[in-house]
Amino acid sequence: MKGLLYKEYVSTGAKKILGLMGCLLVFFLCMRIALPGGDSRNLEETFEEMNSINLGEMYDSFLGSFAYVILVAGMLELVVVMKILSGNDRSRVIQSYYKAMPLPKASLIKAKYLFFLLADLLIMATAAMIAGIFLVGAGHNRFSEHMQVMLRMGGVFLGIPLIIGGIDFLAYLGFGRKVGEALVLLTLCPLGLFAAWFLFFGNLSALSNLNYNAILRWYRAHKGLVRALSVLFPLAALSWYYLSYRIVRKRELGRDGLSED
């Protein structure tokens, strides 16, 4: 299993990703030291009132936005890793080679699922460390409160890649490339149709009212819901991820005429 995990480590270019993450942590720490935050005079002021934001708040705004960009970039990188994991090793020659090795059956599937889970944990841990670094030097303002909300919603950010990864692995590893593409398309079509309907017939003015303070007001009014969501959502995502693994493993063993035992 260690050898298979190392193979995925090499094939996904994880060494470069780890190096980049380390550089980002050091860079963000230096930026936080160089740009100390400041307390807000009024947490309810709108973001558009730039004249009411002091220099420290502007630093927090910049670094907070940068932290969100890192989080989004990390989740996009997880999508790339997922596509590499689900796309490699599917040729008959490679499959025959793995089956000839003295490894437990379906070890390759287990390694892919385990590697992606570890990658997800590592990316989210890095995002949490960056948020922690931000809060160490941040002032008491709406930007630091947003970062606290992001930390409390960490379970949701952790679970989203697992849900997407479970769907992707189930489609491509369980059913093959052609069938997998059709299944993914069928999954995305309803979302695309809903987006098109909302674009033409939905209330687009609701999006224009979405700002820092609107999010904070919603969070303050639903703290209990956020806490429950941050616990239950990753558990549900992990359960689905494990179910996806069991289905793909069963299909992989079925191709070889083997049972679960």
Side-chain angles (χ1 to χ4, degrees):
M1 180 57 64
K2 292 181 180 179
L4 291 176
L5 288 174
Y6 181 74
K7 178 192 74 69
E8 305 299 357
Y9 172 84
V10 174
S11 66
T12 55
K15 184 176 181 180
K16 294 181 180 179
I17 297 175
L18 289 175
L20 178 61
M21 288 165 53
C23 292
L24 281 175
L25 281 172
V26 174
F27 176 75
F28 194 84
L29 177 61
C30 294
M31 292 289 289
R32 177 75 282 181
I33 294 174
L35 304 175
D39 294 337
S40 174
R41 291 184 295 272
N42 184 1
L43 290 178
E44 298 299 332
E45 290 175 349
T46 60
F47 182 69
E48 289 77 8
E49 296 175 1
M50 295 299 294
N51 58 344
S52 67
I53 299 180
N54 58 49
L55 187 60
E57 287 183 274
M58 293 182 65
Y59 291 157
D60 282 343
S61 172
F62 167 72
L63 291 178
S65 301
F66 186 52
Y68 274 105
V69 169
I70 293 175
L71 174 62
V72 173
M75 297 185 75
L76 292 177
E77 186 61 40
L78 283 173
V79 173
V80 175
V81 171
M82 174 185 64
K83 290 300 180 183
I84 294 174
L85 292 174
S86 62
N88 59 7
D89 305 329
R90 301 312 297 170
S91 69
R92 292 183 179 179
V93 176
I94 295 178
Q95 286 292 310
S96 299
Y97 174 76
Y98 282 124
K99 291 174 183 178
M101 296 177 67
L103 292 170
K105 296 301 180 182
S107 294
L108 185 62
I109 298 298
K110 184 178 181 180
K112 290 179 181 295
Y113 273 85
L114 183 57
F115 184 86
F116 185 76
L117 175 61
L118 293 175
D120 185 22
L121 290 171
L122 185 60
I123 293 291
M124 295 305 143
T126 303
M129 285 188 285
I130 287 179
I133 292 172
F134 172 87
L135 291 173
V136 167
H140 181 56
N141 52 59
R142 56 187 173 276
F143 308 111
S144 60
E145 192 171 355
H146 261 278
M147 197 59 59
Q148 292 172 9
V149 173
M150 188 184 81
L151 274 176
R152 294 187 177 98
M153 294 290 290
V156 175
F157 294 119
L158 179 69
I160 291 175
L162 294 181
I163 292 178
I164 299 174
I167 295 173
D168 191 270
F169 288 154
L170 178 62
Y172 290 107
L173 298 181
F175 297 94
R177 175 61 55 182
K178 292 183 179 180
V179 177
E181 289 177 350
L183 290 175
V184 171
L185 184 61
L186 289 175
T187 303
L188 295 178
C189 271
L191 298 177
L193 291 174
F194 174 77
W197 174 87
F198 184 80
L199 181 63
F200 288 103
F201 305 106
N203 184 15
L204 297 179
S205 61
L207 297 178
S208 62
N209 295 328
L210 189 64
N211 54 45
Y212 275 90
N213 289 320
I215 296 174
L216 288 180
R217 283 193 294 268
W218 183 90
Y219 167 73
R220 291 166 184 168
H222 302 86
K223 287 185 177 181
L225 176 62
V226 172
R227 293 191 189 99
L229 191 63
S230 63
V231 174
L232 296 178
F233 188 85
L235 292 178
L238 191 59
S239 299
W240 157 248
Y241 192 71
Y242 179 72
L243 177 62
S244 172
Y245 161 70
R246 295 294 297 183
I247 295 174
V248 174
R249 181 177 183 272
K250 185 175 182 178
R251 290 185 62 85
E252 188 72 13
L253 293 174
R255 293 189 185 104
D256 300 329
L258 301 173
S259 64
E260 286 285 339
D261 300 328

